[in-house]
């Protein structure tokens, strides 16, 4: 009997279908339907008898759940195992299920922080900051970059899994994955720090003090020269006095005082408070609704 | 809204619903979904701005393990449609329409959450039909049930979107205009703060004592307005690489120097 091999076309077909992994996500066996759907081109190629095909389909409808992208190296390994089995190697059902279950846990632990909590917030924030100014480049940049990264990852890690076969499972606990996760969490925390500073906006409006400034500390609007000379004089004084020189009274708001400590101090305090509340098991939705309520009340009493 | 616009909106909603579960192409992210709805209804600029603002709020929304995040798909599609209705009803100005839509997006994301839980429950009998098809080596059967399950998730968003399209535009505008200033302003204030919740979700996922200093660095450096996000990203990557490199070096140094006074520990470290 000639050896059956999965061609590159077969593997690409599996890779394409693998994108629909979560389509039939269910509370019973989670991603099992999508996994089986992705395996179909390989099963068709490897097994010709009806009994073998039915057994393979059932084998791949077992419980499965991981991050949808890092599932790619797993399916690569399973393709290699199925190929060996079809060619007569003694690969048991339990071995295949064992590889799937053994890899899905640790890999999901890498996929979540890397994709959902590092790459997506960074690309999303980049696109969103452009989009808020009304630029179409923002959404396009986000969409294109994300999908290039995603598709390249899906294909190359699936090929990697396929080429190393079962031996990859041994490397999982090794240093590389840990290192990737560590780099992602450092980068992620750094960027989140920046985002908190830039995009969480709180401003307290109460006035702390109103001071009448000494002569010379403000622009004396009544005694400026007439015409364009006056504008020039005013601008010159403005550039040396700063914004406080525009009026006789210097108004200090609570916000101004806080910003002198560190700009964005209130934002970071709010974020840390949210961290604490989330850790106590309070639902994010409840916190979001509460923040809107605080905003409305704050506005009503003129505090924010 | 014209007939073609409505059909295109429903199509975008369908894509967003599918992606809400697949999480691959990202059609459900506000940045993409709101932009597309803005384009097909003739309000591209407002759609993009709404998408950008909502994206900032939704950055940390992701389903991990047992934690269930608000649903971005329904939030972005429905709030974009409401914004468009407010705009095409005439007099509501773009800024009010955008900031009220942001506030509306939050309760919508909760509604979307219940719908997706419903779909995930309906998918249980679907995989039992797959089992039956597998029993007979019926490839077609397995494929059809899988595609049906995906379409179900699309319909989850497409139906509410279609219903919203038939609300008369002047009703939405009237509602927006009837909103008192303190309510609209307060919602805008709240909208500025809710981004913190998403960021907090990310922090809780990744924070260890070791990486907190990087949070502080990012926070302080971001106050320098000249640094763009790309520049900050480059600094972040550089810091991460330097840190990991030094840490490796420290490990090796500790081993060969034998300075720790713990030979067994050194051997283990080397190993």
């Amino acid at each position: 009997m000639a050896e059956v091999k999965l061609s590159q076309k077969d593997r690409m077909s599996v890779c394409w279908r693998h994108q629909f992994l979560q389509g039939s996500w269910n509370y019973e066996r989670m991603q099992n339907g999508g996994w089986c759907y992705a395996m179909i081109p390989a099963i068709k190629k490897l097994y010709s008898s009806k009994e073998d095909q039915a057994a393979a389909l059932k084998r791949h409808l077992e419980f499965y759940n991981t991050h949808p992208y890092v599932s790619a190296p797993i399916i690569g390994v399973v393709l290699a195992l199925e190929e060996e089995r079809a060619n007569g190697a003694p690969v048991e059902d339990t071995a295949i299920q064992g590889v799937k279950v053994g890899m899905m846990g640790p890999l999901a632990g890498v996929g979540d922080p890397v994709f959902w909590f590092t790459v997506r917030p960074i690309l999303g924030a980049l696109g969103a900051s452009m989009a808020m100014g009304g630029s179409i480049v923002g959404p396009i940049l986000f969409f294109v970059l994300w999908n290039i990264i995603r598709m390249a990852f899906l294909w190359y890690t699936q090929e990697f899994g396929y080429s190393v076969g079962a031996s990859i499972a041994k490397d999982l606990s090794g240093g590389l994955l840990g290192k990737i996760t560590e780099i992602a969490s450092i980068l992620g925390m750094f960027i989140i720090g920046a985002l908190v500073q830039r995009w969480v906006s709180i401003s307290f409006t109460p006035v702390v003090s109103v001071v009448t400034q000494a002569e010379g500390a403000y622009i004396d609007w009544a005694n400026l020269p007439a015409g364009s000379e006056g504008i020039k004089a005013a601008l010159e004084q403005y550039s040396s006095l700063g914004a406080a020189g525009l009026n006789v009274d210097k108004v200090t708001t609570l916000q101004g005082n806080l910003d002198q400590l560190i700009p964005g101090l209130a934002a970071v305090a709010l974020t840390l408070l949210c961290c604490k509340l989330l850790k106590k098991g309070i639902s994010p939705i409840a916190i979001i609704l509460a923040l809107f309520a605080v905003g409305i009340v704050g506005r009503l009493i003129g505090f924010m | 809204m014209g007939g073609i616009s409505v059909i295109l909106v429903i199509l975008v909603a369908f894509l967003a619903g599918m992606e809400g579960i697949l999480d691959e192409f990202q059609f459900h992210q506000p940045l993409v979904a709101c932009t597309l709805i803005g384009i097909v209804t003739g309000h591209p600029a407002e759609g993009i701005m709404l998408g950008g603002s909502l994206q900032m709020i939704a950055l940390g929304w992701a389903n991990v393990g047992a934690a269930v995040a608000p649903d971005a798909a329904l939030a972005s599609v429905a709030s974009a449609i409401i914004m468009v209705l407010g705009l095409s009803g005439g007099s509501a100005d773009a800024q009010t329409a955008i900031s009220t839509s942001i506030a509306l997006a939050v309760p919508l994301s909760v509604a979307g959450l219940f719908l997706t839980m419903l779909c995930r429950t309906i998918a249980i009998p679907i995989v039992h039909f797959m089992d039956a098809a597998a029993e007979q080596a019926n490839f077609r059967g397995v494929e059809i049930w899988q595609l049906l399950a995906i379409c179900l998730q699309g319909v989850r968003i497409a139906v509410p979107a279609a219903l919203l399209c038939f609300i008369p535009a002047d009703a939405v505008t009237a509602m927006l205009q009837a909103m008192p200033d303190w309510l609209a302003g307060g919602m805008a204030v709240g909208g500025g703060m809710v981004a913190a919740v998403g960021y907090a979700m990310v922090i809780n996922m990744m924070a260890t004592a070791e990486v907190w200093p990087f949070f502080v660095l990012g926070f302080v450096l971001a106050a320098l307005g000249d640094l763009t996000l790309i520049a900050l990203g480059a600094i972040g990557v550089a810091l991460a690489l330097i840190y990991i490199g030094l840490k490796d070096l420290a490990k090796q140094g500790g081993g060969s120097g034998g300075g720790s006074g713990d030979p067994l520990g050194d051997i283990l470290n080397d190993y």
Side-chain angles (χ1 to χ4, degrees):
Chain A
M1 192 179 90
E3 213 173 72
V4 269
K5 275 268 174 207
L6 292 169
S7 65
Q8 187 175 24
K9 204 165 144 256
D10 297 330
R11 301 197 301 272
M12 277 182 151
S13 166
V14 169
C15 186
W16 173 258
R17 282 164 169 249
H18 185 252
Q19 296 182 99
F20 304 100
L21 179 69
Q22 309 210 83
S24 54
W25 203 103
N26 61 89
Y27 286 115
E28 188 186 291
R29 276 171 283 166
M30 303 193 177
Q31 298 165 339
N32 70 328
W35 173 275
C36 183
Y37 175 78
M39 286 296 293
I40 282 180
I43 296 174
K44 269 187 185 162
K45 178 75 169 271
L46 293 173
Y47 300 102
S48 46
S49 82
K50 240 183 157 38
E51 297 82 65
D52 285 348
Q53 289 179 348
L57 284 175
K58 283 200 294 196
R59 182 158 69 235
H60 291 293
L61 277 169
E62 295 289 334
F63 173 90
Y64 182 69
N65 192 38
T66 187
H67 184 284
Y69 301 173
V70 296
S71 174
I74 308 184
I75 210 165
V77 172
V78 170
L79 287 177
L81 289 177
E82 280 289 354
E83 195 179 71
E84 282 176 38
R85 181 187 167 114
N87 289 317
V91 178
E92 300 291 325
D93 288 8
T94 49
I96 290 175
Q97 188 62 12
V99 165
K100 280 164 70 179
V101 175
M103 289 176 80
M104 70 190 191
L107 280 173
V110 181
D112 290 330
V114 170
F115 285 102
W116 295 162
F117 295 121
T118 305
V119 181
R120 191 159 74 188
I122 291 174
L123 289 182
L126 183 65
S129 61
M130 294 164 114
M132 281 154 90
S135 159
I136 182 84
V137 182
I140 293 177
L141 194 73
F142 170 74
F143 185 74
V144 172
L145 281 181
W146 178 269
N147 281 295
I148 290 176
I149 294 173
R150 176 180 68 85
M151 286 181 173
F153 182 87
L154 285 180
W155 173 246
Y156 288 109
T157 56
Q158 183 188 311
E159 284 293 282
F160 176 69
Y162 176 72
S163 65
V164 295
S167 63
I168 191 186
K170 290 178 208 128
D171 294 340
L172 274 186
S173 52
L176 184 64
L177 280 184
K179 226 172 236 179
I180 292 173
T181 316
E182 202 170 2
I183 291 180
S185 49
I186 289 175
L187 182 58
M189 285 297 273
F190 182 82
I191 293 294
I192 287 296
L195 290 175
V196 167
Q197 207 284 334
R198 294 232 171 133
W199 297 110
V200 178
S201 67
I202 308 179
S203 95
F204 299 108
T205 45
V207 171
V208 177
S209 65
V210 180
V211 181
T212 308
Q213 300 186 83
E215 213 165 302
Y218 59 92
I219 304 172
D220 193 357
W221 295 99
N223 297 319
L224 287 172
S228 53
E229 271 301 304
I231 298 174
K232 181 168 174 257
L235 286 175
E236 279 169 356
Q237 290 182 35
Y238 175 76
S239 72
S240 61
L241 296 173
L246 288 171
N247 294 301
V248 180
D249 293 331
K250 184 181 175 196
V251 179
T252 309
T253 60
L254 181 55
Q255 189 62 38
N257 276 351
L258 286 175
D259 280 347
Q260 276 186 346
L261 298 174
I262 303 177
L265 189 63
V268 81
L270 176 69
T271 309
L272 295 179
L273 176 70
C274 291
C275 284
K276 252 220 151 89
L277 293 176
L278 286 171
K279 270 201 184 130
K280 285 201 174 141
I282 297 174
S283 121
I285 292 159
I287 302 176
I288 291 174
L289 292 177
L291 284 176
F292 274 108
V294 169
I296 292 168
V297 173
R299 186 70 172 219
L300 264 179
I301 59 175
F303 186 67
M304 293 169 110
Chain B
M1 244 186 273
I4 300 173
S5 287
V6 172
I7 292 171
L8 289 174
V9 164
I10 294 174
L11 187 73
V12 172
F14 189 80
L15 276 178
M18 280 169 48
E19 272 300 309
I21 187 79
L22 294 177
D23 226 334
E24 300 272 342
F25 294 91
Q26 309 295 307
F27 285 114
H28 65 304
Q29 291 291 309
L31 199 51
V32 182
C34 295
T35 301
L36 287 177
I37 288 186
I39 289 172
V40 299
T41 54
H43 295 284
E46 293 88 350
I48 293 168
M49 283 192 266
L50 174 67
S53 314
L54 272 184
Q55 187 72 47
M56 280 298 177
I57 297 175
L59 278 184
W61 293 2
N63 289 318
V64 173
V68 202
D71 178 53
L74 188 64
S76 30
V77 168
S79 61
I81 294 173
I82 292 168
M83 179 197 74
V84 167
L85 288 174
L87 289 171
S88 50
S91 35
D93 70 293
Q95 207 46 54
T96 323
I98 291 176
S99 61
T100 21
S101 306
I102 292 172
L104 285 172
V106 174
L108 286 168
S109 68
V110 184
L113 193 64
F114 287 113
L115 290 177
T116 188
M117 283 158 76
L118 184 69
C119 286
R120 287 170 183 217
T121 311
I122 299 176
I124 297 177
I126 288 183
V127 297
H128 283 273
F129 288 122
M130 285 185 178
D131 288 340
E135 201 77 50
Q136 288 150 14
N138 176 0
F139 290 111
R140 216 63 235 126
V142 175
E143 286 168 356
I144 287 169
W145 283 113
Q146 172 74 8
L147 296 177
L148 269 178
I150 301 174
C151 290
L152 186 69
Q153 292 277 0
V155 169
R156 164 178 80 98
I157 306 296
V159 168
L163 292 178
L164 275 176
C165 284
F166 292 105
I167 296 176
D170 26 333
V172 176
T173 316
M175 189 196 81
L176 289 179
Q177 280 172 342
M179 199 177 280
D181 179 51
W182 56 266
L183 187 60
M187 280 179 157
V189 172
M193 295 191 291
V194 290
V197 180
Y199 301 150
M201 288 165 81
V202 180
I203 293 172
N204 276 352
M205 176 78 196
M206 304 205 286
T208 57
E210 204 181 355
V211 296
W212 270 113
F214 295 98
F215 175 84
V216 177
L217 282 176
F219 175 73
V220 175
L221 284 176
L224 302 174
D226 287 344
L227 293 175
T228 62
L229 265 180
I230 299 176
L232 285 167
I235 297 176
V237 172
L239 282 174
L241 291 177
I242 293 170
Y243 180 76
I244 298 287
L246 286 176
K247 202 168 143 187
D248 275 356
L249 212 63
K251 260 188 216 153
Q252 287 163 13
S256 59
S260 65
D262 177 6
L264 182 62
D266 290 343
I267 291 165
L268 284 176
N269 282 341
D270 282 338
Y271 184 71

